[in-house]
């Protein structure tokens, strides 16, 4: 079953209409213009800034006890003032990922007929074709992971019909473009003054080689001019000196013909993309932008939702490979230049966004794509040791709201958003998730457990008894990125015992103890972690029937605030479930309802993906589908890339953000299959309108691969494969069966066996 394609009947005129290609490090946005072709280039290590050891406030540790005492005494405004003076980080040269120059081809004639532009998700190739003056032109573009380059080929069905001028232009980077004997070269630096000092950043080189068939190439300053060619292939390579690499060597163009590049790319891409197929209905034979508009107008298009799911997987493959130097940043590997040029930063947000970037990875059968995040968190844990010691006098490691390519772990620079003390614990959960799906004990021992152990040691040092009940609570910290109204009417953000911190403290302590048991190590630490879990503050239901976000029943300063970090108890955690804790599950649902009903609800792409996943865990498929639909129709653009809406969080305009695409794909997978290591639930949140369909290749915790089909809204058949001997419980609605597998065995279960 093909993954589908995005297609359009006109060229892109802006970034949100261009089509993305990527190889895990190098990204391109292909416009498909007739008179002018543009590929916007990005590269994951093109970072301004530099490492720094002086980012922690020198007075934080001294003032920490006083701030805690004020908060416990109910003097929230005074604690807020003291926290604002002493807790925020002092980033010296934080930096940002920066967009690269664009490759521009000027082809003069902009008239065309029979135009078609498409991204084939099965091959990872953008194809543009049109007729012009009696000639049929075809272009193909892709980003090759095997060869580390972007390739663009232009052909025509008439000899000597391909002519254009090419250059690298429109860049914010200081540098120089020159024409070479066979193409173009750019040499510069990734530096800027908004997020860093204007001096520090990576050195950068770009090389473009043109292979001209049957024509001529000549140099003209910073431009090359190609005339009378039968066909032309452009190969783009980019290198930086990040992590000590030689940018010139990294930017060397491989000696390979187009056919070799293309064949290697397609085989490599299909190896990952082809693992999962999904069928939710017949495709609609309309351009993708028209289909998205029709969805926004209320027309059903279940196949567009299936396409969005596969698009999320495609983008994960294109942005995060096993050998990627960095994980997916806020904008993946496609930098629109907006986030990096405003108060935001194209960095790694640890209070939902980076985690959400990887929601589709394990369930979507792309486990290898988790590898760069695992390495990144390992490095973050090393960097976070000094922050834990300097700021909290604590063991282990800590990271807060944001981090960068250089391993920043101090709080963010502003109060109200920067004091997410469990940001490191939150991102460390991804390492455990990778283990849960693969059960690789060597990986657990060598890579995941050292990070989890030290995160737990930080929690054990940092948690403090709350005086009224003796509960262990975290703080002073913020519930991302929300404010509450203190009893005296003052808006405050810093508190003791936020529910989000409780969720991640419980998770890290539980997981550390579980991992230590599996590995048969650290019995003392295991005992301490289990004892501390028993002393954590309980979940509480407030006067509105809502799950409390803070230890006390405070109202939100902004009832329409976009963040709902305390609902992570529902997803990705399972500390609240509708079967085991129905009252708390209903209280979590009240939070979602109240947020959306509040005037000025801050709808974001990641928020819609969040709500879809929350409702999937609440076993409400219709509501999950409603939020997936809103994500596509109201928070994704013409090219289906998700965006954060202008006007929210200080954004002057819509800003591309990768998390909606990945989070939406992860939520769709969660609607169809859920697992916790003990049980696999089949079709847990199937929408009532999805009467017939099938999905193949989804992954479940415990090392299982699952195929499902359903008819008339009920399970028809399940095929479950395990590579090793295994046992688990299968659930469909209220019926369960226990099943055992031999090595490499696939079992087929007819739906009637699981009908209660």
């Amino acid at each position: 079953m093909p993954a589908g394609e995005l297609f359009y009947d006109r060229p892109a005129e802006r970034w949100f209409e261009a089509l993305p290609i990527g190889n895990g490090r190098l990204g391109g946005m292909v416009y498909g213009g007739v008179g002018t072709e543009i590929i916007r280039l990005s590269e994951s290590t093109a970072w301004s800034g530099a490492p720094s050891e002086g980012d922690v406030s020198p007075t934080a540790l001294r003032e920490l006890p006083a701030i805690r005492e004020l908060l416990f005494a109910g003097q929230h405004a005074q604690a807020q003032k003291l926290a604002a003076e002493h807790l925020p980080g002092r980033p010296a040269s934080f930096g940002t990922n920066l967009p690269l120059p664009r490759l521009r081809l000027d082809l003069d004639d902009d008239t065309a007929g029979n135009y078609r532009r498409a991204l084939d998700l099965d091959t990872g190739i953008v194809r543009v074709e049109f007729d012009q003056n009696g000639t049929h032109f075809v272009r193909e573009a892709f980003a090759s992971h095997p060869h580390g380059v972007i390739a663009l080929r232009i052909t025509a069905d008439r000899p000597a019909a391909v002519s254009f001028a090419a250059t690298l232009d429109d860049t914010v980077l200081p540098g120089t473009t020159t024409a070479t004997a066979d193409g173009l070269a750019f040499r510069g630096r990734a530096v800027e003054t908004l997020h860093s000092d204007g001096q520090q950043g990576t050195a950068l080189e770009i090389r473009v080689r043109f292979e001209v068939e049957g024509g001529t190439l000549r140099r003209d300053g910073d431009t090359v001019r190609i005339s009378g060619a039968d066909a032309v292939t452009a190969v783009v390579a980019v290198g930086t000196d990040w992590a000590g690499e030689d940018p010139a060597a990294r930017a060397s163009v491989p000696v390979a013909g187009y056919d070799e590049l293309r064949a290697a790319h397609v085989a490599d891409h299909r190896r990952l993309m082809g693992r999962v197929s999904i069928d939710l209905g017949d495709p609609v034979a309309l351009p993708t932008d028209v289909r998205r508009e029709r969805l926004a107008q209320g027309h059903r298009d279940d196949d567009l939702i299936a396409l969005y799911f596969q698009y999320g997987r495609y983008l994960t493959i294109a942005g995060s490979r096993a050998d990627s130097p960095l994980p997916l940043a806020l904008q993946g590997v496609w930098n629109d230049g907006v986030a990096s040029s405003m108060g935001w930063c194209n960095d790694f947000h640890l209070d939902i966004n980076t985690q959400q970037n990887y929601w589709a990875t394990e369930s979507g059968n792309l486990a290898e794509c988790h590898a760069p995040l695992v390495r990144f968190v390992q490095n973050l844990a090393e960097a976070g040791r000094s922050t834990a010691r300097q700021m909290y006098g604590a063991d282990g490691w800590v990271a807060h709201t944001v981090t960068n390519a250089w391993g920043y772990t101090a709080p963010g620079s502003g109060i109200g958003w920067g004091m997410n003390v469990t940001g490191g614990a939150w991102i460390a959960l991804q390492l455990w998730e990778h283990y849960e799906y693969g059960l690789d004990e060597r990986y657990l021992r060598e890579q995941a457990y050292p990070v989890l152990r030290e995160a737990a040691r930080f929690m054990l040092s940092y948690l403090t008894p709350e005086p009224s009940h003796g509960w262990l609570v975290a703080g002073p910290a913020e519930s991302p990125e929300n404010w509450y109204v203190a009893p005296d009417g003052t808006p405050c953000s810093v508190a003791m015992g936020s529910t989000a911190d409780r969720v991640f403290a419980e998770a890290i302590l539980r997981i550390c103890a579980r991992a230590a048991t599996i590995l048969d190590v650290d019995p003392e630490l295991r005992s301490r972690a289990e004892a501390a879990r028993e002393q954590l503050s309980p979940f509480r239901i407030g006067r509105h029937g809502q799950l409390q976000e803070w230890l006390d029943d405070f109202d939100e300063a902004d009832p329409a605030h976009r963040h709902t970090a305390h609902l992570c108890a529902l997803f990705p955690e399972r500390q609240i479930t509708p079967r085991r804790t129905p009252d708390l599950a209903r209280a979590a649902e009240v939070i979602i309802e109240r947020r959306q009903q509040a005037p000025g609800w801050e709808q974001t792409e990641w928020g819609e993906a969040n709500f879809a996943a929350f409702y999937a865990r609440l076993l409400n498929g219709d509501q999950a589908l409603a939020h997936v639909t809103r994500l596509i129709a109201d928070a994704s653009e013409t090219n289906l890339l998700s965006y954060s809406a202008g006007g929210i969080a200080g954004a002057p305009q819509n800003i591309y953000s990768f998390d909606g695409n990945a989070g939406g794909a992860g939520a769709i997978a969660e609607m169809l299959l859920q697992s916790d290591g003990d049980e696999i639930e089949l079709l847990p949140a199937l929408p009532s309108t999805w009467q017939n369909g099938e999905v193949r290749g989804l992954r479940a915790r415990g090392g299982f691969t699952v195929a499902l089909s359903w008819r008339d809204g009920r399970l028809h058949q399940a095929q479950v494969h395990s590579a090793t001997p295994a046992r688990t419980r299968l659930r469909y609605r209220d019926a369960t069966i226990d099943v055992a597998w031999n090595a490499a065995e696939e079992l087929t279960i007819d739906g009637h066996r699981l009908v209660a």
Side-chain angles (χ1 to χ4, degrees), residues 177-257:
T177 297
T178 57
T180 66
D182 61 357
L184 297 164
F186 175 86
R187 176 175 292 179
R189 292 191 67 83
V191 295
E192 45 78 45
T193 58
L194 182 60
H195 304 288
S196 57
D197 61 5
Q199 303 297 317
Q200 296 174 303
T202 56
L204 170 80
E205 295 209 17
I206 304 173
R207 294 283 186 272
V208 185
R209 186 181 71 210
F210 293 99
E211 298 174 2
V212 182
E213 300 172 31
T216 61
L217 180 153
R218 64 183 177 87
R219 290 183 280 182
D220 184 5
D222 63 355
T223 301
V224 297
R225 300 188 182 277
I226 293 172
S227 302
D230 300 332
V232 178
T233 300
V235 182
V236 183
V238 178
T240 76
D241 66 352
W242 189 80
E245 287 197 348
D246 179 352
R250 197 74 167 93
S252 62
V253 178
V255 179

Side-chain angles (χ1 to χ4, degrees), residues 243-568:
E245 287 197 348
D246 179 352
R250 197 74 167 93
S252 62
V253 178
V255 179
Y258 179 77
D259 290 344
E260 180 183 346
L261 290 172
R262 189 185 192 281
H265 159 73
V266 170
D268 173 73
H269 176 78
R270 281 181 168 159
R271 179 179 58 85
L272 297 174
M273 194 70 205
R275 292 174 180 171
V276 176
S277 64
I278 183 170
D279 180 3
L280 299 179
D282 294 332
V284 177
L286 291 170
T288 304
D289 53 337
V290 176
R291 295 176 68 182
R292 193 193 69 83
E293 288 295 330
R294 283 168 50 86
L295 189 72
Q297 294 164 5
H299 295 274
R300 272 186 61 189
D301 190 343
D302 295 333
D303 180 70
L304 183 61
I305 292 167
L307 181 68
Y308 197 84
F309 167 77
Q310 291 287 41
Y311 192 42
R313 293 183 65 248
Y314 165 83
L315 293 169
T316 300
I317 294 167
S320 184
R321 288 302 199 94
D323 59 356
S324 294
L326 287 169
L328 292 154
L330 185 69
Q331 299 192 309
V333 295
W334 302 276
N335 192 327
D336 64 6
V338 180
S340 59
S341 62
M342 57 165 283
W344 288 17
C345 178
N346 188 8
D347 59 0
F348 306 94
H349 288 46
L350 302 181
D351 59 355
I352 182 61
N353 311 90
T354 305
Q355 292 87 340
Q356 205 167 42
N357 285 353
Y358 285 86
W359 276 7
T361 304
E362 297 294 338
S363 60
N365 210 336
L366 299 172
E368 304 96 317
C369 296
H370 236 141
L373 182 67
V374 171
R375 291 191 298 271
F376 184 78
V377 177
Q378 287 179 287
N379 293 333
L380 198 65
E382 287 300 315
R385 290 175 181 271
S386 62
T387 298
R389 184 175 59 255
Q390 292 175 42
M391 186 163 180
Y392 302 107
D395 299 327
W397 72 277
V398 66
H400 294 80
T401 309
V402 292
T403 187
N404 59 15
W406 317 109
Y408 180 91
T409 57
S413 58
I415 205 70
W417 62 271
M419 279 298 298
N420 172 35
V421 178
T422 51
W426 192 346
I427 197 66
L429 299 186
Q430 296 295 137
L431 275 65
W432 176 249
E433 179 168 298
H434 185 61
Y435 168 74
E436 283 188 297
Y437 277 86
L439 300 184
D440 182 343
E441 192 168 309
R442 179 176 178 181
Y443 155 80
L444 179 65
R445 183 182 304 276
E446 296 179 0
Q447 295 179 263
Y449 182 67
V451 173
L452 298 167
R453 178 186 61 215
E454 296 307 304
R457 291 184 69 231
F458 172 77
M459 285 297 174
L460 292 170
S461 296
Y462 177 68
L463 293 168
T464 190
E466 180 268 342
S468 298
H469 304 87
W471 297 327
L472 288 179
V473 297
E478 293 167 329
S479 181
E481 300 173 13
N482 210 355
W483 291 61
Y484 60 91
V485 180
D488 66 357
T490 304
C492 295
S493 64
V494 174
M496 296 297 297
S498 77
T499 301
D501 287 344
R502 185 257 186 233
V503 169
F504 297 118
E506 199 282 339
I508 282 296
L509 294 172
R510 181 188 76 248
I511 288 167
C512 177
R514 174 77 185 280
T517 300
I518 293 169
L519 299 174
D520 193 21
V521 296
D522 294 334
E524 181 183 357
L525 179 62
R526 191 188 323 168
S527 298
R528 291 177 60 204
E530 290 171 344
R533 283 180 63 207
E534 297 298 320
Q535 295 177 265
L536 292 173
S537 58
F539 293 113
R540 309 178 87 181
I541 297 175
R543 62 186 180 279
H544 304 296
Q546 88 285 8
L547 180 69
Q548 287 184 196
E549 187 164 356
W550 296 276
L551 195 62
D552 296 307
D553 191 9
F554 296 134
D555 280 333
E556 302 94 342
D558 177 8
H561 184 67
R562 61 197 176 277
H563 278 271
T564 55
H566 52 317
L567 296 191
C568 286

Side-chain angles (χ1 to χ4, degrees), residues 615-631:
Y615 273 115
R617 285 286 173 86
L618 290 167
L619 310 179
N620 189 332
D622 288 342
Q623 282 297 319
L625 177 59
H627 287 285
V628 169
T629 301
R630 290 174 198 168
L631 170 62

Side-chain angles (χ1 to χ4, degrees), residues 113-170:
N114 299 318
Y115 181 92
R116 193 177 195 274
R117 174 172 61 100
L119 167 60
D120 184 343
L121 300 184
D122 290 294
T123 62
I125 293 176
V126 172
R127 182 180 174 91
V128 179
E129 52 186 316
F130 54 87
D131 295 327
Q132 187 180 77
N133 300 323
T135 303
H136 186 67
F137 289 89
V138 176
R139 296 183 208 142
E140 287 189 339
F142 59 86
S144 166
H145 175 254
H147 287 92
V149 297
I150 285 176
L152 168 68
R153 182 165 173 82
I154 305 174
T155 62
D157 65 356
R158 180 173 59 85
V162 179
S163 299
F164 58 84
T167 191
L168 292 163
D169 70 352
D170 193 28

